[in-house]
Amino acid sequence: MDSYLSAGDISAIGLTIKLATLVTLILLVVGTPLAWWLARTRSCLKGAVGAVVALPIVLPPTVLGFYLLVAMGPRGPLGQLTQSLGLGVLPFSFPGLVFASVFYSLPFVVQPLQNAFESIPERLLETASTLRASPFDRFFSVVLPLAKPGYLTAMVLGFAHTVGEFGVVLMIGGNIPEQTRVVSIQIYDHVEAMDYAHAHGLSAGMVAFSFVVLLVLYTLNPTGRRK
């Protein structure tokens, strides 16, 4: 183990798990009302909001990271807001990394939740409404149990996507040991230093992790089993 994982590797793994866990929890809180609105609304803004949510899928990570860096910088709108609140600027800090990762992984949580909500028959909600269930009662007693597979997919994809990100974290977080140096950046450092033994140790772990993620999705996804 020591020959394949250094102290820096272990630190990067711990920071990555911390980042991915925090980002996934935030995304579930933020993504649930957003996905519910996208699944149920008839507003003309649905297409525009859905496109904004999906932007991180098609944009190069460096482009997204650049604009987030500008927005969170000292002269950017977010940077000015955080400075006025006494929080300083977010780039090259763990909170900045969390903010950027939330935006970057947003579609990987919102879209599975939206698909799960859209698959719930409207008649079930109408039946619950006729029984005088409040909107909150309908959501927690009808929607959440039926959307459980969607939540599982959203949690797994959100966590895995955050673990594997590189371009955005490099642009926003830089390469600060024990603060912003996650696994993907650590692998890059090892390759630059031609330290292939440690690069192989981390990379093999990422391959195994990715396989387990896909295995979980294909095993527990009921739609995949029916097909």
Side-chain angles (χ1 to χ4, degrees), residues 2-223:
D2 291 339
S3 61
Y4 287 100
L5 293 179
S6 66
D9 295 339
I10 296 173
S11 174
I13 291 172
L15 185 65
T16 302
I17 294 174
K18 176 183 176 182
L19 174 67
T21 301
L22 184 56
V23 168
T24 302
L25 292 176
I26 293 173
L27 282 174
L28 289 175
V29 174
V30 174
T32 293
L34 179 56
W36 179 252
W37 183 84
L38 287 170
R40 296 295 169 180
T41 187
R42 296 181 180 178
S43 171
C44 60
L45 297 176
K46 177 179 179 179
V49 174
V52 171
V53 170
L55 268 179
I57 297 177
V58 297
L59 277 179
T62 49
V63 172
L64 181 61
F66 169 72
Y67 283 111
L68 286 174
L69 184 63
V70 171
M72 293 190 295
R75 299 182 180 179
L78 290 176
Q80 292 180 354
L81 175 62
T82 55
Q83 289 179 95
S84 66
L85 295 174
L87 302 176
V89 291
L90 295 179
F92 309 111
S93 68
F94 184 76
L97 209 57
V98 171
F99 181 87
S101 298
V102 165
F103 192 88
Y104 185 50
S105 296
L106 184 65
F108 294 89
V109 171
V110 170
Q111 291 184 353
L113 294 181
Q114 181 182 348
N115 292 335
F117 293 153
E118 288 175 344
S119 68
I120 298 175
E122 188 67 30
R123 60 181 175 80
L124 295 179
L125 298 177
E126 292 173 353
T127 300
S129 180
T130 59
L131 296 174
R132 298 183 179 180
S134 67
F136 282 102
D137 289 336
R138 293 198 298 268
F139 186 82
F140 286 102
S141 61
V142 178
V143 174
L144 281 185
L146 294 176
K148 192 179 296 183
Y151 271 93
L152 175 62
T153 301
M155 286 188 292
V156 173
L157 286 180
F159 189 93
H161 189 254
T162 303
V163 168
E165 63 187 19
F166 174 75
V168 169
V169 297
L170 183 61
M171 295 286 288
I172 299 299
N175 190 358
I176 306 173
E178 300 183 0
Q179 294 186 43
T180 63
R181 184 183 292 173
V182 294
V183 169
S184 57
I185 304 298
Q186 185 77 354
I187 293 173
Y188 178 76
D189 283 351
H190 286 322
V191 173
E192 273 202 324
M194 300 186 69
D195 185 0
Y196 293 145
H198 287 118
H200 169 68
L202 282 178
S203 298
M206 291 291 286
V207 171
F209 172 77
S210 300
F211 174 78
V212 170
V213 167
L214 294 175
L215 182 63
V216 168
L217 288 179
Y218 281 107
T219 301
L220 299 181
N221 188 333
T223 302

